[in-house]
Amino acid sequence: MSTTAPPGVTAGIELEISGMTCASCAMRIEKKLNKLDGVVATVNYATEKARVMVPDGFDPAMLIAEVEKTGYGAALPAPVGGSTDGPTADGEDPELVSLRHRLIGAVVLTVPVIAMAMVPAWQFTYWQWASLVLAAPVIVWAAWPFHKAAWANLRHGTATMDTLISVGTSAAFLWSLYALFFGTAGTPGMTHPFELTLAPSDGAANIYLEVGAGVTMFILAGRYFEKRSKKQAGAALRALLELGAKEVSVLRGGVETKIPVEDLAAGDEFVVRPGEKIATDGVVVSGTSAVDESMLTGESVPVEVSAGDAVTGATTNAGGRLVVRATRIGSDTQLAQMARLVEDAQTGKAEVQRLADRISGVFVPIVIVIAAAALGGWLGAGFPVSAAFTAAVAVLVIACPCALGLATPTALLVGTGRGAQMGVLIKGPEVLESTRAIDTVVLDKTGTVTTGKMTLVDVVVEPGTDRAELLRLAGSLEDASEHPIAQAVAQGARQEVGALAVPEDFANVEGKGVQGVVDGRAVLVGRQSLLAEWSQELSPALVAAKTQAEGEGKTVVAVGWDGQARGVLVVADTVKPTSAEAVAQLKALGLTPVLLTGDNEAVARQIAAEVGIDEVIAEVLPKDKVDVVTRLQAEGRVVAMIGDGVNDAPALAQADLGLAMGTGADVAIEASDITLVRGDLRSAVDAIRLSRATLRTIKTNLFWAFAYNVAAIPVAALGMLNPMLAGAAMALSSVFVVGNSLRLRGFRSVTT
């Protein structure tokens, strides 16, 4: 959901909202905040946050007070990069702990209540009183969140799933109390015979404690697992902030001193050794190296840096020793800015209105009207008050949504379980809702469509030069270097010619390549300029091969020995073997693939042509990726984003559906809605197909869960609902829902 601020309004206040149980709660808070003068608010149920634009000088306490008046909690969040203590970090969420305690208590107490009610042989002399003792804490204490939410709904003239649960369980409990204390249900030896006949009754001999307790238990289970899944929403930000270095070697008075990165100040000079992360954004003071920035920029080729070049915090020094002067620290760094991008995207994602609440909003008032009509009808026909109340309460009891509590959790359990077997991890019900309308799939290039690793892809040799010899000599020399391109050459050579030699007199020529002696031969491997310094010029044929490869976005390394250029090696990020097939399958689902990358246009076009993608957006920075997704959404497209890097995390969060390759960065996985464990792009096809199948199953479950209740309402209104029939209706609808969900176990992957 997007909002536009009126003139003079400044975006800047975010609130953490607590106490919401459904999407309608978010809508209610949003409506209340937007009534304040000059305030424009968006409340997101999934992330439990409100983004509020207010006039300059507006007191946030007024916003918090307004939310609290609506019946919910609100607080200002800790700043990005601040403390991660408390329930939002490693500590457990108090609300989640409370739900778990209620669920455990409900399971322990409810199972024997249901067993006694459904099996006449277990109905001992005072079983009904034992049921009351066990069921009362469940219906009153365990179901308290539902009763509290129903009261808040009533005060605002609305009805949700909570209203239906509260009304149904309360009616079952109160009628059971009446039957036990004022009717005949409390007499010693009372039993519920196993009869499914329809016969009028005054209800004074019947109890419905198993209905109230059973519904509470089932729906608490669904709420607990949903809440636990939602708690992971903030983990993306923590994962981003944890990517940076924890300690840094600062130069003070010419001496290196290890300090926590939090103590680093702008202007400090610090040392970064090969393989270490750069502690913060800065400028290189001395040294040369190759810096792997792929996690931030998506660029697969390491960037050569030397004195005067800017470097980014959390990137990795892949080459030599660097001394860097810090220019930005803390919340000013690019990493912290990306954390804010992820947070903005998550908060701004349109909330998904839960299907059960949509139906409940209509169903609850209808049920209450029918119950009132049944009461009035029986009284008007001259029947006793007890018989009239029996019919009215029976309507409320049978409308209590036992199967509805199972409809979503069982389908999710089976669907996500099947997905896990196939390498697809689905995070929650909101994800499924997003998949049905997806029409565009944005694919990150590096690590998603391609392997994300530099690989030796071609060898061009001069006439008279043996290919195997060139590979062995160049590979042996490059094997002594830590540079990612050198390692790609060494790996490729080792695969083709076997064991490599150990070079002598190895030397790294800063920014140009390496030189050394291999098997008595003086070998040069690196840029064309390195060979030119030794009067080893490339032939026209090698120059043409080099120009063609570089035009395709590949990296070329020249090789020479004994005073002559001998050939060139071509290194590139290669397309995964299954990517073209996956793109074809995405198209078959009616989706439009778009290649989005930080790499240059030539590389992007080449890769897109290989896999069959027509639309390409290249040379984009992390913030630009978010902007591209937003622009596509503004065009009316429903966008899925597939990526694997830190640079993809904000776009994954912004997209209507985010899919992360499980082989990628943790933050991308945390920011996504679906994780593809295998790193195979065809898993994205499985994910979308499985999500749609699971959503269809949930909708079918919801329909039949209500259909069984609706079919029994006339029976209840006529006063013919006995406990066995109520129990059987509950059991039958639940069995159908579970059985329908189990069909998802037969879902098949496109890769098999």
Side-chain angles (χ1 to χ4, degrees):
M1 177 174 181
S2 63
T3 52
T4 304
V9 171
T10 303
I13 295 181
E14 185 176 85
L15 298 176
E16 292 179 348
I17 308 295
S18 60
M20 293 191 294
T21 60
C22 62
S24 60
C25 298
M27 292 167 59
R28 191 175 304 125
I29 296 169
E30 187 175 296
K31 184 177 179 181
K32 195 79 170 176
L33 289 175
N34 283 326
K35 285 183 178 178
L36 294 175
D37 189 33
V39 171
V40 179
T42 302
V43 181
N44 188 303
Y45 168 63
T47 59
E48 298 184 338
K49 290 184 179 179
R51 174 60 54 83
V52 190
M53 293 179 283
V54 297
D56 291 332
F58 195 94
D59 186 1
M62 292 179 62
L63 299 174
I64 294 173
E66 198 66 23
V67 173
E68 289 175 346
K69 277 196 289 184
T70 314
Y72 303 92
L76 293 170
V80 173
S83 172
T84 56
D85 296 334
T88 56
D90 295 331
E92 283 210 82
D93 184 341
E95 194 174 341
L96 187 66
V97 172
S98 174
L99 262 179
R100 183 167 65 242
H101 290 164
R102 292 178 195 276
L103 175 59
I104 293 171
V107 171
V108 171
L109 297 173
T110 301
V111 170
V113 173
I114 294 176
M116 286 188 290
M118 299 299 291
V119 183
W122 294 350
Q123 294 172 3
F124 53 90
T125 304
Y126 291 103
W127 73 274
Q128 69 272 45
W129 295 101
S131 292
L132 176 63
V133 170
L134 294 170
V138 178
I139 299 171
V140 176
W141 168 74
W144 181 248
F146 307 134
H147 302 317
K148 183 181 177 182
W151 174 245
N153 293 332
L154 179 63
R155 284 168 46 211
H156 294 90
T158 59
T160 66
M161 175 78 168
D162 292 309
T163 310
L164 193 55
I165 298 163
S166 180
V167 169
T169 55
S170 298
F173 183 59
L174 293 174
W175 187 257
S176 298
L177 288 178
Y178 167 78
L180 285 169
F181 287 98
F182 302 103
T184 58
T187 57
M190 185 277 283
T191 60
H192 278 170
F194 195 80
E195 295 176 354
L196 300 180
T197 56
L198 296 177
S201 164
D202 67 359
N206 300 330
I207 60 172
Y208 299 95
L209 294 170
E210 78 283 1
V211 175
V215 167
T216 300
M217 178 183 70
F218 286 132
I219 297 180
L220 270 177
R223 288 283 170 88
Y224 171 72
F225 290 113
E226 179 186 4
K227 177 71 178 177
R228 192 174 66 171
S229 175
K230 278 173 56 185
K231 187 178 181 292
Q232 302 303 317
L237 300 177
R238 295 195 297 278
L240 254 180
L241 296 172
E242 288 167 3
L243 283 172
K246 301 297 182 290
E247 288 188 324
V248 58
S249 298
V250 180
L251 284 175
R252 289 181 176 162
V255 179
E256 288 187 33
T257 306
K258 284 271 188 184
I259 64 170
V261 73
E262 294 82 10
D263 296 341
L264 192 65
D268 282 347
E269 293 186 2
F270 58 93
V271 176
V272 189
R273 292 182 173 78
E276 291 183 344
K277 289 181 179 179
I278 297 173
T280 192
D281 297 358
V283 175
V284 177
V285 176
S286 64
T288 60
S289 182
V291 176
D292 181 0
E293 296 184 340
S294 60
M295 56 166 280
L296 284 175
T297 66
E299 184 72 42
S300 53
V301 180
V303 177
E304 302 285 349
V305 296
S306 57
D309 290 334
V311 290
T312 306
T315 56
T316 303
N317 178 16
R321 180 180 182 272
L322 294 175
V323 176
V324 179
R325 182 185 300 111
T327 56
R328 292 186 294 187
I329 59 171
S331 60
D332 295 328
T333 63
Q334 187 172 342
L335 186 65
Q337 289 168 3
M338 286 185 68
R340 283 195 291 274
L341 283 175
V342 173
E343 187 172 35
D344 290 346
Q346 285 185 329
T347 303
K349 187 184 292 186
E351 73 277 355
V352 177
Q353 178 78 333
R354 291 175 58 197
L355 293 173
D357 280 319
R358 291 182 194 165
I359 303 171
S360 297
V362 178
F363 188 67
V364 174
I366 292 175
V367 168
I368 292 173
V369 167
I370 293 173
L375 177 65
W378 279 75
L379 290 175
F383 287 92
V385 174
S386 61
F389 270 100
T390 297
V393 173
V395 170
L396 297 176
V397 170
I398 197 60
C400 198
C402 180
L404 188 60
L406 292 171
T408 298
T410 54
L412 273 178
L413 185 65
V414 180
T416 54
R418 179 65 186 130
Q421 292 175 337
M422 296 161 49
V424 175
L425 304 181
I426 302 172
K427 289 192 176 177
E430 292 88 356
V431 176
L432 307 176
E433 184 88 359
S434 303
T435 61
R436 63 177 176 173
I438 294 297
D439 54 34
T440 301
V441 179
V442 176
L443 302 167
D444 170 59
K445 181 189 74 69
T446 307
T448 302
V449 176
T450 67
T451 61
K453 297 178 181 178
M454 303 301 287
T455 306
L456 181 63
V457 295
D458 197 12
V459 180
V460 182
V461 297
E462 287 278 31
T465 299
D466 181 62
R467 174 189 169 98
E469 184 180 23
L470 182 141
L471 279 172
R472 191 173 62 81
L473 295 177
S476 297
L477 191 60
E478 292 281 57
D479 197 31
S481 171
E482 296 174 333
H483 196 288
I485 293 177
Q487 287 300 305
V489 170
Q491 182 66 21
R494 188 177 288 108
Q495 289 176 351
E496 190 164 330
V497 300
L500 302 176
V502 178
E504 301 172 20
D505 299 327
F506 174 84
N508 179 46
V509 183
E510 290 186 357
K512 292 187 177 181
V514 293
Q515 63 187 45
V517 177
V518 181
D519 293 344
R521 291 179 170 173
V523 183
L524 300 172
V525 182
R527 297 181 184 272
Q528 183 178 355
S529 58
L530 175 63
L531 273 68
E533 289 179 3
W534 293 80
S535 301
Q536 298 181 14
E537 300 294 337
L538 300 185
S539 68
L542 291 181
V543 170
K546 176 177 179 291
T547 302
Q548 180 182 346
E550 289 178 339
E552 296 171 353
K554 298 173 183 175
T555 302
V556 178
V557 178
V559 183
W561 66 83
D562 292 347
Q564 182 181 342
R566 304 288 180 166
V568 293
L569 303 173
V570 182
V571 177
D573 183 12
T574 56
V575 172
K576 291 180 180 178
T578 59
S579 291
E581 182 186 349
V583 168
Q585 290 167 348
L586 289 170
K587 288 181 176 179
L589 287 175
L591 307 174
T592 302
V594 178
L595 189 66
L596 179 64
T597 178
D599 268 347
N600 64 61
E601 187 82 18
V603 175
R605 292 285 173 192
Q606 175 76 17
I607 297 298
E610 279 190 57
V611 298
I613 297 176
D614 299 321
E615 193 172 345
V616 177
I617 304 172
E619 299 179 20
V620 291
L621 296 174
K623 184 179 185 307
D624 297 327
K625 290 191 175 186
V626 178
D627 292 341
V628 167
V629 172
T630 304
R631 176 172 58 78
L632 291 172
Q633 290 170 328
E635 292 172 1
R637 301 204 209 182
V638 184
V639 180
M641 169 78 188
I642 307 176
D644 77 319
V646 175
N647 63 304
D648 300 317
L652 286 167
Q654 174 63 38
D656 298 284
L657 180 69
L659 299 97
M661 310 299 275
T663 51
D666 287 347
V667 67
I669 294 170
E670 292 289 358
S672 67
D673 303 305
I674 296 176
T675 301
L676 311 174
V677 175
R678 294 200 305 263
D680 184 338
L681 193 54
R682 292 177 300 178
S683 294
V685 182
D686 288 336
I688 293 171
R689 290 176 56 245
L690 178 60
S691 295
R692 288 178 174 177
T694 306
L695 182 62
R696 284 195 301 271
T697 301
I698 289 174
K699 287 182 174 180
T700 307
N701 286 350
L702 288 172
F703 172 79
W704 284 108
F706 277 106
Y708 276 109
N709 289 2
V710 169
I713 283 175
V715 176
L718 293 172
M720 296 182 176
L721 185 66
N722 67 45
M724 280 295 108
L725 190 60
M730 273 182 56
L732 191 58
S733 57
S734 300
V735 167
F736 176 85
V737 162
V738 173
N740 189 46
S741 299
L742 288 174
R743 293 191 308 118
L744 287 169
R745 294 173 64 182
F747 183 87
R748 292 288 176 264
S749 168
V750 295
T751 61
T752 55

